[in-house]
Amino acid sequence: FARQVLAGLRVLITAGPTQESIDPVRYISNHSSGKMGFALASAAAEAGAQVTLIAGPVHLPTPARVKRVDVKSAREMLKACEAAMPCDVLIAAAAVADYHPQTAAKQKLKKNPQNPNGLRLQLVCNPDILATLAQRKDRPFCVGFAAETEHLLEHATSKLRDKNLDLIVANDVKRSDIGFNSDDNAVTLIDRQGQQTRLDKARKSEIARQLMGLIASHLPSPING
Ligand code: PMT
């Protein structure tokens, strides 16, 4: 029985990939399945929180007692997050595209026989959703994820600082048995003091439950009741 460690708190969670349009038929995306974010939403609801889950395109059922908002692009995801503010805790598990094609063509791009050299796309930056929300005056307690393929803890620690986060969950996405699209994960939670807590490989549902307890124990006193 999960203790109601987040009773009455408003928790906003982002999950899944984003899709950045090239034309009406093609888009840029990534391998995120949304499983980690959906497990976090389920665990937060079990822990008594009022959960809003903002999801990129995924093939997952909505966890019980969770309010779900579906989006496609990073820009739509930011808008949906801002509409869900204020909240007490933000957990950004979504794999948000850093760039989108400068122009999404209105019609399907045709193969250009005169230009056998292929298709050149000009990509421009997307907003950093987590960093944007963490800069707000009414900023929530911010938990980020770091998806790294090398120097995992160093990169995660600099993201914690650069994005003004309270906690960051580091996971190695080079491994095929954890991270993207797997049922299991293995993570290291890092706090502002540099304290590291390793959660060994387990089902994402179990990792999510352990993370809820760890997040609750880091909340500043006024909001954890
Ligand atoms: O969805 P699954 O298949 O279960 O896989 C889970 C996961 C690997 C996607 C997840 O555990 C994970 O690591 N999510 C974060 C992926 C990611 O984009 O990490 P990042 O290091 O590129 O981004 C750092 C943080 O900034 C993340 O919290 C991300 O949500 C956020 N971000 C990044 C870019 C951006 N434009 N806006 C953001 O909010």
Side-chain angles (χ1 to χ4, degrees):
F1 174 72
R3 285 178 303 120
Q4 300 286 298
V5 290
L6 297 177
L9 294 180
R10 298 158 300 176
V11 176
L12 176 60
I13 296 174
T14 65
T18 62
Q19 290 179 350
E20 310 298 330
S21 282
I22 294 171
D23 64 22
V25 167
R26 302 176 179 92
Y27 56 78
I28 298 173
S29 190
N30 59 64
H31 298 296
S32 171
S33 64
K35 289 174 186 170
M36 189 71 249
F38 275 58
L40 288 161
S42 181
E46 257 175 48
Q50 187 191 323
V51 182
T52 301
L53 169 62
I54 296 178
V58 296
H59 308 284
L60 296 173
T62 306
R65 298 189 311 283
V66 166
K67 178 177 173 243
R68 173 180 180 164
V69 178
D70 288 301
V71 296
K72 283 202 168 69
S73 70
R75 285 167 289 171
E76 288 169 8
M77 189 175 271
L78 173 57
K79 244 190 236 106
C81 286
E82 288 174 331
M85 293 296 286
C87 69
D88 300 300
V89 182
L90 165 67
I91 308 176
V96 184
D98 286 321
Y99 303 97
H100 67 268
Q102 188 160 43
T103 39
K106 293 267 174 300
Q107 303 303 333
K108 183 187 173 199
L109 297 176
K110 303 309 290 169
K111 277 200 288 279
N112 177 348
Q114 282 73 31
N115 172 4
N117 310 331
L119 175 69
R120 175 180 290 276
L121 288 178
Q122 175 62 45
L123 300 184
V124 295
C125 285
N126 272 326
D128 185 322
I129 299 169
L130 178 53
T132 302
L133 298 175
Q135 295 307 333
R136 289 170 60 117
K137 263 191 329 305
D138 64 350
R139 77 184 287 283
F141 184 84
C142 293
V143 184
F145 271 73
E148 305 297 338
T149 58
E150 58 175 0
H151 310 306
L152 177 62
L153 301 181
E154 297 83 346
H155 287 329
T157 304
S158 35
K159 278 178 184 170
L160 175 91
R161 235 196 318 276
D162 299 348
K163 297 179 189 247
N164 182 33
L165 307 181
D166 297 288
L167 290 172
I168 196 151
V169 181
N171 54 184
D172 174 351
V173 292
K174 203 169 61 279
R175 286 173 51 179
S176 57
D177 63 326
I178 62 166
F180 282 123
N181 196 21
S182 53
D183 289 329
D184 299 333
N185 208 352
V187 306
T188 300
L189 183 74
I190 308 171
D191 69 17
R192 281 174 179 267
Q193 286 66 41
Q195 173 82 25
Q196 296 177 8
T197 308
R198 261 179 60 83
L199 301 182
D200 290 332
K201 182 174 166 181
R203 310 296 279 175
K204 280 177 177 169
S205 52
E206 180 48 34
I207 295 282
R209 264 193 291 278
Q210 292 175 40
L211 283 173
M212 284 314 134
L214 289 165
I215 289 166
S217 65
H218 278 85
L219 292 180
S221 41
I223 57 173
N224 68 3

